[in-house]
Structure formats: structure tokens, C-alpha cells
Amino acid sequence: MGLDYLAKRIVKTPGICGGKARIEGHRIRVKDIVKWFEVLNKKADEIADEYDLSLSDIYLALAYYHTNQAELQKEWAKEDAFVKEQRDKFPSKLSKFRNHGQT
């Protein structure tokens, strides 16, 4: 596996995953791998096995994140704010059933 191949594994493609950084050939975003690794404390080999990725894919995604951390954190904060805004604006019609029968 050469460096040229590795350099092409993290891609951004308009129309796929919202144009966000992802693993080539997959709809798995760098954000997903970072979340599984850092928030859910999954090991790299667990992620690779579960999602049929190579260990190099996992470590490339983490390296991409750490290289672009400030930019990605801003991007993800905007996404989170948008989702919160939409949830506040359009509350789930199912929420009234969530507490049904509970006191």
C-alpha cells in the first residue's frame, strides 16, 4: 500500500455525506470514526472489524481529524446548532407518546 493510495482514502465528494470528509468507498465520515473512538471509547480494530474498514482507514481518519481539528470542530458545532434549532422549531409529534402512562 503506497503513500499515493493512502493520501486518497479521505475524500470530500459533493452529494455524498453532505460533502463531509469520509473514507473513500464508504459513507463513513471522519466525524463518525472520531465519535466511535473518542466518545464511545471503541478501539481502532473494533471499528475496523464492525464496519469492514482497514486499520489504516481508522488511523488516517483520526490523523485527518487531528490535522484539521479546529476547522472540523467549528463545522461540527454549526451542524449541532442547526440540528438543535430544527428540533426546537419542529418538535417531534411522537414526544407526547414517550411519557404516555408514566407519572
Side-chain angles (χ1 to χ4, degrees):
M1 193 178 309
L3 290 178
D4 290 338
Y5 170 79
L6 293 174
K8 296 176 184 174
R9 292 298 293 155
I10 305 296
V11 297
K12 291 182 177 183
T13 309
I16 299 176
C17 295
K20 306 301 182 211
R22 64 180 176 83
I23 304 292
E24 174 65 41
H26 299 272
R27 297 182 69 86
I28 298 173
R29 303 167 301 169
V30 168
K31 181 179 184 177
D32 300 324
I33 292 173
V34 170
K35 179 180 178 182
W36 298 328
F37 188 80
E38 292 190 353
V39 177
L40 300 179
N41 296 314
K42 287 190 173 195
K43 295 178 183 173
D45 59 335
E46 292 174 323
I47 299 168
D49 288 344
E50 188 170 342
Y51 296 97
D52 196 30
L53 299 168
S54 68
L55 275 175
S56 63
D57 287 335
I58 305 306
Y59 289 118
L60 283 168
L62 293 171
Y64 180 90
Y65 167 68
H66 287 288
T67 301
N68 302 285
Q69 189 170 2
E71 173 190 339
L72 291 172
Q73 289 292 342
K74 283 182 189 178
E75 179 182 304
W76 298 345
K78 283 183 184 178
E79 290 174 8
D80 292 345
F82 176 76
V83 169
K84 183 184 180 325
E85 177 185 318
Q86 295 304 304
R87 283 186 178 150
D88 291 346
K89 191 184 288 187
F90 305 105
S92 171
K93 293 180 181 181
L94 298 177
S95 61
K96 66 181 177 182
F97 297 108
R98 287 187 186 143
N99 296 324
H100 183 68
Q102 296 179 2
T103 57

